Amino acid sequence: MDSQGQVEPRVVWAVVESGIGPLLLAASREGLVNVVFHATDAVRDRAVERLASRLGTEPVEAPGSPLLAEAIRQVEAYFAGERHDFDLPLDWSLISGFNREVLRELASGVPYGTVVGYGDLAGRVGQPGAAQAVGMAMGANPLPVVVPCHRVVESGGGIGGFGGGLETKRRLLALEGVLPEPLF
């Protein structure tokens, strides 16, 4: 229950502005469960429907929810250049198996301002030949930015793919000092 004696919904969401456009943040009682890029009305509506289907409960828009307050604060501080690490409880229920293992390693083992190759990350989880599977795990990441899939790059120096778009990946890497800021 919250401070007014109301039962907190199982999943709450809000859209916050960021240096890469609007992000939808969704949280359950277990922690942050989803981050969605480019959260315009249509994208937001699809994301909320997908969450309802996958989690079996209707997410409630609640930007003032205590479940979201710290996540919003930390995301805003990250984009302001004031925070380099996220210290949030995460709800991993939208991902499992190899993908979860890879994303947990990414979250704990690839710090701000660094990058890792797809193959190197595969090796870290004991699957050195699974670079392509790591790429699939990055594409399935339900918690981008917080679980920093933008830090995974091609071993030959290429930027690799990115579910939020390559310009978004470039901007995140520039924010972290890995790439120069775009000129325009």
Side-chain angles (χ1 to χ4, degrees):
M1 288 196 196
D2 68 16
S3 60
Q4 287 82 36
Q6 301 293 312
V7 174
E8 186 79 31
R10 280 194 44 217
V11 179
V12 293
W13 64 271
V15 174
V16 298
E17 285 303 318
S18 75
I20 55 170
L23 295 174
L24 180 141
L25 304 179
S28 70
R29 293 180 185 134
E30 288 75 42
L32 189 67
V33 70
N34 202 200
V35 177
V36 178
F37 291 116
H38 316 299
T40 59
D41 292 349
V43 170
R44 179 203 63 217
D45 292 348
R46 281 193 309 275
V48 169
E49 287 174 20
R50 211 169 36 251
L51 279 169
S53 173
R54 302 256 334 258
L55 298 174
T57 186
E58 191 64 37
V60 175
E61 183 176 15
S65 169
L67 295 177
L68 284 170
E70 185 61 16
I72 291 170
R73 190 186 71 71
Q74 288 189 29
V75 165
E76 288 174 343
Y78 170 81
F79 282 103
E82 300 164 357
R83 180 169 202 93
H84 293 174
D85 301 307
F86 291 97
D87 183 21
L88 297 167
L90 301 177
D91 177 343
W92 294 95
S93 63
L94 294 178
I95 197 139
S96 62
F98 177 79
N99 290 357
R100 183 187 291 188
E101 185 179 357
V102 168
L103 291 171
R104 283 181 179 265
E105 173 59 29
L106 175 64
S108 65
V110 183
Y112 182 96
T114 66
V115 294
V116 65
Y118 293 95
D120 293 336
L121 190 53
R124 289 186 188 191
V125 297
Q127 301 290 328
Q132 195 168 23
V134 166
M136 298 297 286
M138 295 306 103
N141 182 3
L143 296 162
V145 180
V146 175
V147 176
C149 52
H150 60 277
R151 296 181 191 153
V152 183
V153 298
E154 295 173 350
S155 60
I159 195 168
F162 194 62
L166 291 181
E167 183 56 32
T168 298
K169 186 172 188 172
R170 284 186 191 96
R171 292 176 81 188
L172 288 167
L173 291 172
L175 173 69
E176 295 189 11
V178 175
L179 291 176
E181 287 287 341
L183 296 175
F184 47 90

